[in-house]
Amino acid sequence: QVHLVESGGGAVQAGGSLRLSCVAAGTPNCIGWFRQTPGKEREAVANTIAGSASAVYADAVKGRFTISQDNTKNTVYLQMNSLKPEDTAMYYCAAETGPYCVRSITEYRYRGQGIQVTVSS
């Protein structure tokens, strides 16, 4: 079992920055973020293997978002820079264990409660 708690969302103007945090209780093998807006499907944002420096990003956020980990705090971060109105969504931290990591992050079994990010133009 993995329990995830997100923090750090909010409202910013276009061009601004936010940093999301996700504290994980348990031992996920892979972790990351996806987002969702009402009436739309979940969209993968970024994910990484626990303890790895490498990551996979959605094309829409490459060069603007960075996922990182602090293993001493069991925390994963999503640094979001140069935010755009189209980044407005509910952001979810998600994690998986073992072979289930081959799934898309949007299908990971363990998810946080979600946190709202609103970017105004």
Side-chain angles (χ1 to χ4, degrees), residues 5 12 21-22 32 35-36 39 49 57 63 66 76-77 80-81 83 88 90 92 96 98 103 110-112:
V5 178
V12 295
S21 300
C22 173
R35 63 190 183 187
Q36 189 170 25
I49 301 298
Y57 295 94
T66 303
V76 173
Y77 303 99
M80 305 185 293
N81 298 329
L83 282 160
T88 295
M90 187 74 80
Y92 295 86
E96 256 303 349
R103 295 176 172 177
Y110 305 109
R111 300 188 293 270

Side-chain angles (χ1 to χ4, degrees), residues 12 15 17 21 35 48 52 56 93 109 114:
V12 295
S17 298
S21 300
R35 63 190 183 187
T48 186
S52 171
V56 176
C93 180
R109 292 173 297 166

Side-chain angles (χ1 to χ4, degrees), residues 1-3 6 24-25 29 38 43 49 56 60 68 70 78 81 84-85 94 112 114-115 117:
Q1 290 288 333
V2 179
H3 183 63
E6 304 105 332
N29 296 110
E43 178 187 18
I49 301 298
V56 176
S68 61
D70 185 339
L78 184 68
N81 298 329
K84 304 176 181 180
I115 194 161
V117 171

Side-chain angles (χ1 to χ4, degrees), residues 4 6 20 31-37 41-47 58 67 78 89-95 104-115:
L4 305 167
E6 304 105 332
L20 305 183
I31 192 166
W33 301 85
F34 69 87
R35 63 190 183 187
Q36 189 170 25
T37 55
E41 294 186 353
R42 297 172 186 168
E43 178 187 18
V45 175
N47 62 283
I67 188 170
L78 184 68
M90 187 74 80
Y91 283 72
Y92 295 86
C93 180
S104 166
I105 190 170
T106 59
E107 298 178 7
Y108 284 4
R109 292 173 297 166
Y110 305 109
R111 300 188 293 270
Q113 79 282 2
I115 194 161

